Amino acid sequence: MGILLCVQLYYILFVYGRLARYKVQSYQDSTNFPPVSVIICAHNEQDNLKEFLPAILEQDYPEYEVIVVDDCSTDDTKWILQDFAREYKHLRIVDIKEHVQLKHNKKFALTLGIKAAQHERSILTDADCQPQSKHWLKEMSGAFIEGKEIVLGYSPYFKTNTFLSKLIRFETSHTAMSYLSYALKGNAYMGVGRNLAYTKSLFFRGKGFNAHMHIKSGDDDLFINHNATPTNVNIAIHPDAHMYSTAKNTWKAYYKQKARHSGASLLYKRKHKRMLATQLITAILFYTMLAVVLVLYPVCWQYVVGAYLLRLMSQLIVFGKIYRKLAVKDLLIWLPVLDILYYFYICTNGLFNRHKKQISW
């Protein structure tokens, strides 16, 4: 149990501690705002486009284009985009037609969007996402400081009062805490496509999604995993850079979502699989050993309580600073419950579904 505790404290204090100590920067005052391309892939997103696309089209940015790739939608997406295009001249539409002999996925649609982009900097998001402010583009684009080809943003979910919402927001912030911390260590291993940016030249130099086109997921995390270097990644987590999205509202839908996303990690670099597996397995074993020792050796309850409280207090100190940066400070009081659920529900769900065939877009 002592070894497990030490490993967990290493991750909390020395990995996540990087993000806790990070001073959040704003890039709104930068004088370097070259033209950028915002790329959104949409498949039957008529309602989301109506609600969220105007906030993308009305950013406070000198010059930019918004490319929406309509991937074989069967609803009114096409007509809604045409209506928007008449009002917003910087909106461009890429229309993909269904073909009986051509089976494609989001990676194909995203590739077409990047190819159609007129500018070097590509900033990606989804049709169901809403930027926190009109300065989202400035924050993301401004983070392309000298030598940086990738910008990792943060995409929280809208807050609701359900327990499922708390769990989803906790999982999302925990994932962000991990990939942002490792990026600060010069070891970036993933990003989230709801708020992500990279250069067009990097995309084609790295041969796009060719290495993992055979799986549906991974258009965001696998691309970063294969193309990030110790020096070409920056993060943008100023509050104005946040990109909000609507979370799943049923346990079944959330389970399916996590199952769909889990397969991509099989293709991570070995060093990344080892470091993530170590963190996950030691956390699960830590909780398991606490229970085992308490049941088999109840006279040792002081050691069990002491080990648990030491880890929890370390989390509260480090996570408290991070949660304020990630706009989830209300979850800190729920940490003891959500942390256990995170490992025993979400992570085991991912492990059990890693090899399942993915069928959804």
Side-chain angles (χ1 to χ4, degrees):
M1 187 169 64
I3 295 176
L4 297 173
L5 176 61
C6 289
V7 174
Q8 282 293 291
L9 290 178
Y10 165 77
Y11 280 97
I12 294 168
L13 299 175
F14 298 103
V15 177
Y16 304 147
R18 290 275 186 137
L19 185 59
R21 296 186 295 271
Y22 174 73
K23 184 177 180 180
V24 176
Q25 302 180 54
S26 174
Y27 297 98
Q28 292 179 33
D29 295 331
S30 171
T31 58
N32 179 29
F33 290 122
V36 299
S37 300
V38 179
I39 301 172
I40 301 171
C41 296
H43 174 69
N44 292 336
E45 296 280 5
Q46 60 178 26
D47 295 332
N48 286 326
L49 289 171
K50 284 181 180 178
E51 183 173 0
F52 300 122
L53 188 56
I56 303 292
L57 293 166
E58 296 171 2
Q59 286 289 297
D60 179 15
Y61 197 86
E63 181 183 351
Y64 71 104
E65 63 177 355
V66 177
I67 299 174
V68 179
V69 184
D70 180 9
D71 189 9
C72 306
S73 296
T74 57
D75 60 2
D76 288 337
T77 292
K78 175 181 179 179
W79 312 113
I80 290 169
L81 288 175
Q82 288 181 2
D83 288 342
F84 275 124
R86 282 190 284 269
E87 182 178 357
Y88 299 95
K89 302 306 179 184
H90 57 300
L91 172 62
R92 299 174 57 205
I93 304 168
V94 176
D95 189 18
I96 302 179
K97 302 295 185 183
E98 189 71 66
H99 194 288
V100 68
Q101 294 181 335
L102 180 63
K103 300 299 181 182
H104 51 79
N105 53 28
K106 184 180 178 181
K107 293 176 183 175
F108 178 78
L110 188 53
T111 299
L112 292 186
I114 294 173
K115 285 183 176 180
Q118 297 178 345
H119 309 303
E120 169 68 357
R121 297 180 180 180
S122 298
I123 301 180
L124 316 180
T125 188
D126 289 338
D128 61 348
C129 294
Q130 177 175 295
Q132 168 69 11
S133 78
K134 288 181 176 290
H135 303 296
W136 166 68
L137 267 187
K138 284 186 175 180
E139 293 292 348
M140 292 297 291
S141 178
F144 279 105
I145 57 180
E146 184 177 356
K148 305 303 181 183
E149 299 177 290
I150 297 172
V151 176
L152 304 181
Y154 168 57
S155 182
Y157 285 106
F158 291 115
K159 178 182 176 181
T160 66
N161 292 325
T162 66
F163 184 76
L164 177 60
S165 171
K166 291 180 174 62
L167 179 60
I168 293 175
R169 292 171 62 234
F170 178 85
E171 182 267 332
T172 302
S173 62
H174 199 285
T175 300
M177 178 171 63
S178 181
Y179 75 74
L180 292 169
S181 296
Y182 276 106
L184 291 174
K185 284 172 60 69
N187 193 18
Y189 69 91
M190 69 163 284
V192 175
R194 299 191 302 274
N195 200 8
L196 177 64
Y198 45 78
T199 63
K200 188 174 181 177
S201 57
L202 175 68
F203 181 80
F204 289 110
R205 190 171 71 247
K207 299 182 180 179
F209 307 122
N210 283 0
H212 45 88
M213 188 63 83
H214 59 289
I215 65 172
K216 288 185 178 292
S217 61
D219 56 276
D220 45 11
D221 56 344
L222 283 180
F223 180 83
I224 301 304
N225 194 266
H226 294 175
N227 291 279
T229 72
T231 59
N232 74 344
V233 179
N234 197 11
I235 70 172
I237 59 170
H238 186 274
D240 284 342
H242 293 182
M243 177 64 77
Y244 279 82
S245 184
T246 302
K248 300 298 183 183
N249 56 13
T250 67
W251 288 89
K252 182 178 180 180
Y254 182 53
Y255 180 88
K256 289 183 176 179
Q257 181 189 51
K258 300 314 299 177
R260 186 172 69 251
H261 291 166
S262 61
S265 60
L266 291 170
L267 297 182
Y268 281 10
K269 294 176 182 177
R270 288 184 180 180
K271 65 176 182 178
H272 295 143
K273 287 192 285 188
R274 284 196 300 268
M275 73 186 192
L276 295 173
T278 301
Q279 198 280 332
L280 165 62
I281 293 171
T282 56
I284 292 176
L285 288 178
F286 175 76
Y287 279 124
T288 302
M289 287 301 298
L290 290 181
V292 169
V293 172
L294 198 58
V295 171
L296 297 182
Y297 307 99
V299 295
C300 298
W301 66 269
Q302 300 99 326
Y303 299 103
V304 172
V305 173
Y308 173 77
L309 289 179
L310 179 58
R311 179 177 181 272
L312 179 61
M313 291 304 298
S314 300
Q315 286 180 306
L316 290 173
I317 294 171
V318 174
F319 290 12
K321 296 179 180 179
I322 295 173
Y323 281 12
R324 285 191 288 271
K325 297 171 183 175
L326 301 185
V328 290
K329 62 181 181 180
D330 60 293
L331 296 180
L332 199 61
I333 193 173
W334 289 89
L335 180 61
V337 175
L338 294 175
D339 193 62
I340 295 175
L341 278 177
Y342 171 78
Y343 288 108
F344 286 95
Y345 174 74
I346 296 175
C347 293
T348 52
N349 168 24
L351 290 174
F352 287 134
N353 288 284
R354 292 176 82 187
H355 296 280
K356 283 190 176 181
K357 184 178 180 180
Q358 302 168 41
I359 59 175
S360 61
W361 185 84

